[in-house]
Amino acid sequence: MTSFQDYYASNQDRFVQEWKDFLRFKSISADEAYKADCVACAEWLERHLAGLGFQTELWPSATLPLVYGVLPGNPKKPTVLFYGHYDVQPPDPVDHWHSPPFEPTLRDGRMYARGAQDNKGQVFYFLKALEALGAAGADLPTIKVIIEGEEESGSTAIHLGLEGWAEKLKADVLMVCDTGVLSPGVPTVTMGLRGIAHFDIKVLGPKIDLHSGVYGGVVLNPLQALASVVASLHAPDGSVAVPGFYDKVKKPSAEDLAIANEAPINPVEISAALGVELTGGEHGLPATERRGFRPTLEVNGIGGGYQGAGNKTVIPSEGFAKISMRLVDGQDPEETLRLVMNHIQTLAPAGTRIETLHPVAGGPALLLSVKAPVVQSARKALLAAFGREPVYLWEGASIPIVAKLAKVSGGQPLLIGFGEEGDMIHAPNESFSLKQLEAGYRYVTSFLPVL
Ligand code: BES
Ligand code: ZN
């Protein structure tokens, strides 16, 4: 046993208690009703960092505060900036949880709570690794920390403030622990994230809901129009049917594709776990490529009209849809938003009007190189810590601010996280295993001293 494993074992009970304290905050950024809970969570984090020896600051904003800290270290070593988020997704549907989402519960070696993994659990093992490294008097680089409270809902404050904080964020390495492993027990370096942009569609028809007998066959139903607009956004071959959508898409290098295919998505395994065939996206491309290297357009919500019990014969006055796009290397979020929203504007059938609303350019894709020196240092640390080579994964999900944060801070991004498929992030009964908490701690304690 290493001294760090010893330290973990002798402090695990306290770690669990502190982790639970962190998880009890209802830091739901999507809902303003939880603003005070978010602020309290940020203050808890700030105190925690101060307890680890950090010089801390709470950066207020018009929305939610950011937590910042610096722990001065060996100036000869590259400065590390750690990014994470303290906000969580709404816990809905709450009645699907086996224990309440904000009453963290340890069952069978897993901590159940909203945020147990995404991202509080992963931030927490980073903090506990720093505690252990500090206690051991390790020769550490200067560590800076920035933890935002709006990753799950637009990253407003960090987007607006970032350039102004450039000096404070200056770093050589940008470390992020908000991703997962390919499969249990396999250390994984994430080599890419897709970007994201989203907006809403409204289709407007008559001023008010109408009797569908009196006006059926006379007034065009806005929900019928909405359905045909939404259906027209994809071609039968699964590709996005918006002219120009793929124009700026850069193809992955043959080298990246080859490495990605060494650790492919297992369609049989995933199909079995999800209870569905993997038929989404562009036909003819393997799932690994579709998820890691190709952009998509998704309908996240659609509605309008009568949704209650029984039937109601009505031509509703309007319908809505919520659309998001995952973007890849080469695609600019603002430009793609404009392209798709303008296209949709042209689709309104006579007798309806289309509005596109609430555009959010979350952030562009991020693409890293296996050859990057920081990836190679991490590879060696993972090999030493876990006794096996890591695999490299091109992720389909997004951490919207990372690309911009890398640019502004100057830090080389390093995305290594320990989430597992079964953690059910964003869903009811989110959890994170103690095993993965320890794996994350083991990675951080192995990596930081050798940087
Ligand atoms: N931690 C996730 C991103 C993630 C998920 C990375 C799974 C690797 C595997 C992050 O908190 C997240 O959920 N991002 C959102 C951003 C969106 C709300 C703007 C996403 O990807 O949907
Ligand atoms: Zn998330």
PDB file of all heavy atoms in Angstrom, residues 25 34 36 43-44 50 53 132 141 143 156 158 184 196 199 217 232 270 289 301 320 326 358 360-361 377 395 403 417:
ATOM      1  N   PHE A  25     -26.263  20.352  -0.545  1.00  0.00           N
ATOM      2  CA  PHE A  25     -26.685  21.639  -1.114  1.00  0.00           C
ATOM      3  C   PHE A  25     -27.505  21.402  -2.386  1.00  0.00           C
ATOM      4  O   PHE A  25     -27.062  20.670  -3.275  1.00  0.00           O
ATOM      5  CB  PHE A  25     -25.466  22.500  -1.467  1.00  0.00           C
ATOM      6  CG  PHE A  25     -24.690  22.943  -0.267  1.00  0.00           C
ATOM      7  CD1 PHE A  25     -23.516  22.303   0.093  1.00  0.00           C
ATOM      8  CD2 PHE A  25     -25.148  23.999   0.522  1.00  0.00           C
ATOM      9  CE1 PHE A  25     -22.795  22.703   1.209  1.00  0.00           C
ATOM     10  CE2 PHE A  25     -24.432  24.414   1.633  1.00  0.00           C
ATOM     11  CZ  PHE A  25     -23.253  23.759   1.986  1.00  0.00           C
ATOM     12  N   TYR A  34     -33.351  28.243  -6.420  1.00  0.00           N
ATOM     13  CA  TYR A  34     -32.268  27.607  -5.660  1.00  0.00           C
ATOM     14  C   TYR A  34     -31.005  28.458  -5.588  1.00  0.00           C
ATOM     15  O   TYR A  34     -29.939  27.957  -5.266  1.00  0.00           O
ATOM     16  CB  TYR A  34     -31.954  26.212  -6.241  1.00  0.00           C
ATOM     17  CG  TYR A  34     -33.126  25.283  -6.082  1.00  0.00           C
ATOM     18  CD1 TYR A  34     -34.031  25.098  -7.119  1.00  0.00           C
ATOM     19  CD2 TYR A  34     -33.371  24.639  -4.867  1.00  0.00           C
ATOM     20  CE1 TYR A  34     -35.139  24.278  -6.967  1.00  0.00           C
ATOM     21  CE2 TYR A  34     -34.474  23.818  -4.700  1.00  0.00           C
ATOM     22  CZ  TYR A  34     -35.358  23.644  -5.748  1.00  0.00           C
ATOM     23  OH  TYR A  34     -36.450  22.846  -5.585  1.00  0.00           O
ATOM     24  N   ALA A  36     -30.031  30.745  -3.437  1.00  0.00           N
ATOM     25  CA  ALA A  36     -29.410  30.793  -2.106  1.00  0.00           C
ATOM     26  C   ALA A  36     -28.658  29.483  -1.819  1.00  0.00           C
ATOM     27  O   ALA A  36     -27.583  29.498  -1.214  1.00  0.00           O
ATOM     28  CB  ALA A  36     -30.463  31.045  -1.039  1.00  0.00           C
ATOM     29  N   GLU A  43     -19.940  28.944  -1.020  1.00  0.00           N
ATOM     30  CA  GLU A  43     -19.257  29.368   0.214  1.00  0.00           C
ATOM     31  C   GLU A  43     -18.646  28.176   0.947  1.00  0.00           C
ATOM     32  O   GLU A  43     -17.546  28.266   1.493  1.00  0.00           O
ATOM     33  CB  GLU A  43     -20.241  30.114   1.127  1.00  0.00           C
ATOM     34  CG  GLU A  43     -20.587  31.485   0.567  1.00  0.00           C
ATOM     35  CD  GLU A  43     -21.774  32.162   1.260  1.00  0.00           C
ATOM     36  OE1 GLU A  43     -22.464  31.493   2.069  1.00  0.00           O
ATOM     37  OE2 GLU A  43     -22.010  33.351   0.978  1.00  0.00           O
ATOM     38  N   TRP A  44     -19.350  27.048   0.916  1.00  0.00           N
ATOM     39  CA  TRP A  44     -18.815  25.816   1.535  1.00  0.00           C
ATOM     40  C   TRP A  44     -17.515  25.413   0.833  1.00  0.00           C
ATOM     41  O   TRP A  44     -16.511  25.088   1.480  1.00  0.00           O
ATOM     42  CB  TRP A  44     -19.852  24.690   1.418  1.00  0.00           C
ATOM     43  CG  TRP A  44     -19.419  23.398   2.051  1.00  0.00           C
ATOM     44  CD1 TRP A  44     -19.637  22.985   3.336  1.00  0.00           C
ATOM     45  CD2 TRP A  44     -18.675  22.322   1.411  1.00  0.00           C
ATOM     46  NE1 TRP A  44     -19.090  21.738   3.536  1.00  0.00           N
ATOM     47  CE2 TRP A  44     -18.495  21.309   2.383  1.00  0.00           C
ATOM     48  CE3 TRP A  44     -18.162  22.126   0.135  1.00  0.00           C
ATOM     49  CZ2 TRP A  44     -17.818  20.112   2.110  1.00  0.00           C
ATOM     50  CZ3 TRP A  44     -17.471  20.936  -0.141  1.00  0.00           C
ATOM     51  CH2 TRP A  44     -17.312  19.949   0.842  1.00  0.00           C
ATOM     52  N   ALA A  50      -9.952  26.931   1.490  1.00  0.00           N
ATOM     53  CA  ALA A  50      -9.145  27.689   2.452  1.00  0.00           C
ATOM     54  C   ALA A  50      -8.541  26.729   3.473  1.00  0.00           C
ATOM     55  O   ALA A  50      -7.370  26.856   3.850  1.00  0.00           O
ATOM     56  CB  ALA A  50     -10.001  28.756   3.129  1.00  0.00           C
ATOM     57  N   GLY A  53      -5.387  25.272   2.508  1.00  0.00           N
ATOM     58  CA  GLY A  53      -4.253  26.187   2.371  1.00  0.00           C
ATOM     59  C   GLY A  53      -4.357  27.130   1.186  1.00  0.00           C
ATOM     60  O   GLY A  53      -3.433  27.913   0.929  1.00  0.00           O
ATOM     61  N   ALA A 132      -4.327  15.021   0.880  1.00  0.00           N
ATOM     62  CA  ALA A 132      -3.342  13.967   1.160  1.00  0.00           C
ATOM     63  C   ALA A 132      -1.944  14.385   0.705  1.00  0.00           C
ATOM     64  O   ALA A 132      -0.946  14.143   1.398  1.00  0.00           O
ATOM     65  CB  ALA A 132      -3.758  12.680   0.457  1.00  0.00           C
ATOM     66  N   PRO A 141       3.211  21.456  -7.995  1.00  0.00           N
ATOM     67  CA  PRO A 141       3.180  22.699  -8.763  1.00  0.00           C
ATOM     68  C   PRO A 141       2.212  23.686  -8.109  1.00  0.00           C
ATOM     69  O   PRO A 141       1.467  23.304  -7.207  1.00  0.00           O
ATOM     70  CB  PRO A 141       2.645  22.260 -10.128  1.00  0.00           C
ATOM     71  CG  PRO A 141       1.884  21.012  -9.860  1.00  0.00           C
ATOM     72  CD  PRO A 141       2.516  20.356  -8.668  1.00  0.00           C
ATOM     73  N   ILE A 143      -1.137  25.298  -7.800  1.00  0.00           N
ATOM     74  CA  ILE A 143      -2.454  24.815  -8.220  1.00  0.00           C
ATOM     75  C   ILE A 143      -3.448  25.961  -8.124  1.00  0.00           C
ATOM     76  O   ILE A 143      -3.585  26.585  -7.059  1.00  0.00           O
ATOM     77  CB  ILE A 143      -2.962  23.680  -7.302  1.00  0.00           C
ATOM     78  CG1 ILE A 143      -1.871  22.645  -7.024  1.00  0.00           C
ATOM     79  CG2 ILE A 143      -4.252  23.075  -7.849  1.00  0.00           C
ATOM     80  CD1 ILE A 143      -1.840  21.462  -7.879  1.00  0.00           C
ATOM     81  N   THR A 156     -23.166  31.218 -17.825  1.00  0.00           N
ATOM     82  CA  THR A 156     -23.260  32.658 -18.085  1.00  0.00           C
ATOM     83  C   THR A 156     -22.130  33.454 -17.434  1.00  0.00           C
ATOM     84  O   THR A 156     -21.423  34.214 -18.109  1.00  0.00           O
ATOM     85  CB  THR A 156     -24.611  33.197 -17.579  1.00  0.00           C
ATOM     86  OG1 THR A 156     -25.635  32.355 -18.109  1.00  0.00           O
ATOM     87  CG2 THR A 156     -24.853  34.628 -18.019  1.00  0.00           C
ATOM     88  N   ILE A 158     -19.199  32.680 -16.141  1.00  0.00           N
ATOM     89  CA  ILE A 158     -17.818  32.415 -16.570  1.00  0.00           C
ATOM     90  C   ILE A 158     -17.603  32.898 -18.002  1.00  0.00           C
ATOM     91  O   ILE A 158     -16.560  33.472 -18.330  1.00  0.00           O
ATOM     92  CB  ILE A 158     -17.427  30.927 -16.353  1.00  0.00           C
ATOM     93  CG1 ILE A 158     -15.914  30.740 -16.518  1.00  0.00           C
ATOM     94  CG2 ILE A 158     -18.198  29.989 -17.231  1.00  0.00           C
ATOM     95  CD1 ILE A 158     -15.394  29.394 -16.037  1.00  0.00           C
ATOM     96  N   PRO A 184     -15.858  -0.136 -16.830  1.00  0.00           N
ATOM     97  CA  PRO A 184     -15.378  -0.192 -15.448  1.00  0.00           C
ATOM     98  C   PRO A 184     -13.929  -0.658 -15.340  1.00  0.00           C
ATOM     99  O   PRO A 184     -13.528  -1.620 -15.993  1.00  0.00           O
ATOM    100  CB  PRO A 184     -16.340  -1.199 -14.786  1.00  0.00           C
ATOM    101  CG  PRO A 184     -17.592  -1.073 -15.580  1.00  0.00           C
ATOM    102  CD  PRO A 184     -17.152  -0.798 -16.990  1.00  0.00           C
ATOM    103  N   ILE A 196     -21.656  22.632 -28.156  1.00  0.00           N
ATOM    104  CA  ILE A 196     -23.115  22.625 -28.047  1.00  0.00           C
ATOM    105  C   ILE A 196     -23.710  24.005 -28.306  1.00  0.00           C
ATOM    106  O   ILE A 196     -23.107  25.031 -27.971  1.00  0.00           O
ATOM    107  CB  ILE A 196     -23.562  22.086 -26.663  1.00  0.00           C
ATOM    108  CG1 ILE A 196     -25.088  21.967 -26.590  1.00  0.00           C
ATOM    109  CG2 ILE A 196     -23.019  22.942 -25.519  1.00  0.00           C
ATOM    110  CD1 ILE A 196     -25.590  21.070 -25.485  1.00  0.00           C
ATOM    111  N   PHE A 199     -31.566  26.170 -29.012  1.00  0.00           N
ATOM    112  CA  PHE A 199     -32.573  27.224 -29.179  1.00  0.00           C
ATOM    113  C   PHE A 199     -33.958  26.582 -29.155  1.00  0.00           C
ATOM    114  O   PHE A 199     -34.078  25.353 -29.161  1.00  0.00           O
ATOM    115  CB  PHE A 199     -32.357  27.977 -30.506  1.00  0.00           C
ATOM    116  CG  PHE A 199     -32.553  27.124 -31.728  1.00  0.00           C
ATOM    117  CD1 PHE A 199     -33.772  27.127 -32.413  1.00  0.00           C
ATOM    118  CD2 PHE A 199     -31.534  26.299 -32.198  1.00  0.00           C
ATOM    119  CE1 PHE A 199     -33.966  26.326 -33.531  1.00  0.00           C
ATOM    120  CE2 PHE A 199     -31.728  25.498 -33.317  1.00  0.00           C
ATOM    121  CZ  PHE A 199     -32.933  25.512 -33.979  1.00  0.00           C
ATOM    122  N   GLY A 217     -59.841  21.324 -41.261  1.00  0.00           N
ATOM    123  CA  GLY A 217     -59.964  21.357 -42.716  1.00  0.00           C
ATOM    124  C   GLY A 217     -60.028  22.774 -43.254  1.00  0.00           C
ATOM    125  O   GLY A 217     -60.088  22.976 -44.461  1.00  0.00           O
ATOM    126  N   SER A 232     -38.536  17.508 -41.055  1.00  0.00           N
ATOM    127  CA  SER A 232     -37.735  17.864 -42.238  1.00  0.00           C
ATOM    128  C   SER A 232     -36.282  18.161 -41.899  1.00  0.00           C
ATOM    129  O   SER A 232     -35.457  18.347 -42.797  1.00  0.00           O
ATOM    130  CB  SER A 232     -38.350  19.081 -42.946  1.00  0.00           C
ATOM    131  OG  SER A 232     -38.035  20.277 -42.232  1.00  0.00           O
ATOM    132  N   ILE A 270     -24.122  -1.847 -25.267  1.00  0.00           N
ATOM    133  CA  ILE A 270     -24.913  -0.640 -25.007  1.00  0.00           C
ATOM    134  C   ILE A 270     -26.368  -0.873 -25.360  1.00  0.00           C
ATOM    135  O   ILE A 270     -27.265  -0.471 -24.621  1.00  0.00           O
ATOM    136  CB  ILE A 270     -24.337   0.579 -25.769  1.00  0.00           C
ATOM    137  CG1 ILE A 270     -22.914   0.847 -25.260  1.00  0.00           C
ATOM    138  CG2 ILE A 270     -25.203   1.816 -25.565  1.00  0.00           C
ATOM    139  CD1 ILE A 270     -22.331   2.143 -25.687  1.00  0.00           C
ATOM    140  N   GLU A 289     -17.667   6.621 -34.279  1.00  0.00           N
ATOM    141  CA  GLU A 289     -17.426   7.783 -35.127  1.00  0.00           C
ATOM    142  C   GLU A 289     -18.599   8.760 -35.043  1.00  0.00           C
ATOM    143  O   GLU A 289     -18.407   9.977 -34.974  1.00  0.00           O
ATOM    144  CB  GLU A 289     -17.251   7.288 -36.568  1.00  0.00           C
ATOM    145  CG  GLU A 289     -16.335   8.153 -37.383  1.00  0.00           C
ATOM    146  CD  GLU A 289     -16.006   7.501 -38.724  1.00  0.00           C
ATOM    147  OE1 GLU A 289     -15.636   6.295 -38.735  1.00  0.00           O
ATOM    148  OE2 GLU A 289     -16.138   8.180 -39.725  1.00  0.00           O
ATOM    149  N   GLY A 301     -37.316  18.445 -26.714  1.00  0.00           N
ATOM    150  CA  GLY A 301     -38.668  18.547 -26.167  1.00  0.00           C
ATOM    151  C   GLY A 301     -39.592  19.050 -27.245  1.00  0.00           C
ATOM    152  O   GLY A 301     -39.168  19.752 -28.166  1.00  0.00           O
ATOM    153  N   PHE A 320     -44.457  24.166 -29.621  1.00  0.00           N
ATOM    154  CA  PHE A 320     -43.045  24.519 -29.437  1.00  0.00           C
ATOM    155  C   PHE A 320     -42.172  23.277 -29.540  1.00  0.00           C
ATOM    156  O   PHE A 320     -42.632  22.148 -29.343  1.00  0.00           O
ATOM    157  CB  PHE A 320     -42.812  25.193 -28.067  1.00  0.00           C
ATOM    158  CG  PHE A 320     -42.908  24.210 -26.917  1.00  0.00           C
ATOM    159  CD1 PHE A 320     -41.779  23.499 -26.499  1.00  0.00           C
ATOM    160  CD2 PHE A 320     -44.114  23.976 -26.274  1.00  0.00           C
ATOM    161  CE1 PHE A 320     -41.865  22.568 -25.457  1.00  0.00           C
ATOM    162  CE2 PHE A 320     -44.213  23.055 -25.241  1.00  0.00           C
ATOM    163  CZ  PHE A 320     -43.091  22.353 -24.831  1.00  0.00           C
ATOM    164  N   ARG A 326     -25.084  19.177 -31.267  1.00  0.00           N
ATOM    165  CA  ARG A 326     -23.725  18.855 -30.805  1.00  0.00           C
ATOM    166  C   ARG A 326     -22.804  19.149 -31.969  1.00  0.00           C
ATOM    167  O   ARG A 326     -23.061  18.706 -33.100  1.00  0.00           O
ATOM    168  CB  ARG A 326     -23.624  17.386 -30.405  1.00  0.00           C
ATOM    169  CG  ARG A 326     -24.501  16.981 -29.244  1.00  0.00           C
ATOM    170  CD  ARG A 326     -24.027  17.517 -27.907  1.00  0.00           C
ATOM    171  NE  ARG A 326     -25.042  17.299 -26.883  1.00  0.00           N
ATOM    172  CZ  ARG A 326     -24.855  17.482 -25.585  1.00  0.00           C
ATOM    173  NH1 ARG A 326     -23.682  17.905 -25.122  1.00  0.00           N
ATOM    174  NH2 ARG A 326     -25.823  17.279 -24.738  1.00  0.00           N
ATOM    175  N   HIS A 358     -34.523  32.175 -27.766  1.00  0.00           N
ATOM    176  CA  HIS A 358     -33.558  31.750 -26.748  1.00  0.00           C
ATOM    177  C   HIS A 358     -32.318  31.049 -27.299  1.00  0.00           C
ATOM    178  O   HIS A 358     -31.963  29.959 -26.829  1.00  0.00           O
ATOM    179  CB  HIS A 358     -34.221  30.806 -25.719  1.00  0.00           C
ATOM    180  CG  HIS A 358     -35.558  31.270 -25.247  1.00  0.00           C
ATOM    181  ND1 HIS A 358     -36.679  30.460 -25.245  1.00  0.00           N
ATOM    182  CD2 HIS A 358     -35.961  32.462 -24.773  1.00  0.00           C
ATOM    183  CE1 HIS A 358     -37.704  31.132 -24.804  1.00  0.00           C
ATOM    184  NE2 HIS A 358     -37.315  32.361 -24.493  1.00  0.00           N
ATOM    185  N   VAL A 360     -28.666  29.869 -27.563  1.00  0.00           N
ATOM    186  CA  VAL A 360     -27.513  29.803 -26.648  1.00  0.00           C
ATOM    187  C   VAL A 360     -26.358  29.104 -27.368  1.00  0.00           C
ATOM    188  O   VAL A 360     -26.486  27.939 -27.763  1.00  0.00           O
ATOM    189  CB  VAL A 360     -27.850  29.029 -25.342  1.00  0.00           C
ATOM    190  CG1 VAL A 360     -26.611  28.893 -24.469  1.00  0.00           C
ATOM    191  CG2 VAL A 360     -28.965  29.729 -24.581  1.00  0.00           C
ATOM    192  N   ALA A 361     -25.261  29.845 -27.560  1.00  0.00           N
ATOM    193  CA  ALA A 361     -24.057  29.249 -28.135  1.00  0.00           C
ATOM    194  C   ALA A 361     -23.198  28.789 -26.965  1.00  0.00           C
ATOM    195  O   ALA A 361     -22.413  29.558 -26.420  1.00  0.00           O
ATOM    196  CB  ALA A 361     -23.318  30.276 -28.990  1.00  0.00           C
ATOM    197  N   SER A 377       2.326  12.707 -20.009  1.00  0.00           N
ATOM    198  CA  SER A 377       2.647  12.630 -18.567  1.00  0.00           C
ATOM    199  C   SER A 377       1.522  11.925 -17.821  1.00  0.00           C
ATOM    200  O   SER A 377       1.767  11.118 -16.917  1.00  0.00           O
ATOM    201  CB  SER A 377       2.809  14.004 -17.912  1.00  0.00           C
ATOM    202  OG  SER A 377       3.500  14.873 -18.723  1.00  0.00           O
ATOM    203  N   GLU A 395     -15.399  11.858 -26.654  1.00  0.00           N
ATOM    204  CA  GLU A 395     -16.686  11.912 -25.961  1.00  0.00           C
ATOM    205  C   GLU A 395     -17.724  12.654 -26.809  1.00  0.00           C
ATOM    206  O   GLU A 395     -17.383  13.585 -27.536  1.00  0.00           O
ATOM    207  CB  GLU A 395     -16.463  12.637 -24.620  1.00  0.00           C
ATOM    208  CG  GLU A 395     -17.673  12.855 -23.768  1.00  0.00           C
ATOM    209  CD  GLU A 395     -18.425  11.581 -23.463  1.00  0.00           C
ATOM    210  OE1 GLU A 395     -17.827  10.630 -22.951  1.00  0.00           O
ATOM    211  OE2 GLU A 395     -19.627  11.528 -23.748  1.00  0.00           O
ATOM    212  N   ALA A 403     -13.139  24.811 -23.950  1.00  0.00           N
ATOM    213  CA  ALA A 403     -12.327  25.281 -25.083  1.00  0.00           C
ATOM    214  C   ALA A 403     -11.891  26.733 -24.852  1.00  0.00           C
ATOM    215  O   ALA A 403     -10.711  27.077 -25.033  1.00  0.00           O
ATOM    216  CB  ALA A 403     -13.110  25.145 -26.387  1.00  0.00           C
ATOM    217  N   GLY A 417     -11.505  11.604 -16.146  1.00  0.00           N
ATOM    218  CA  GLY A 417     -12.529  11.476 -15.119  1.00  0.00           C
ATOM    219  C   GLY A 417     -12.828  10.006 -14.887  1.00  0.00           C
ATOM    220  O   GLY A 417     -12.368   9.131 -15.644  1.00  0.00           O
TER     221      GLY A 417
END
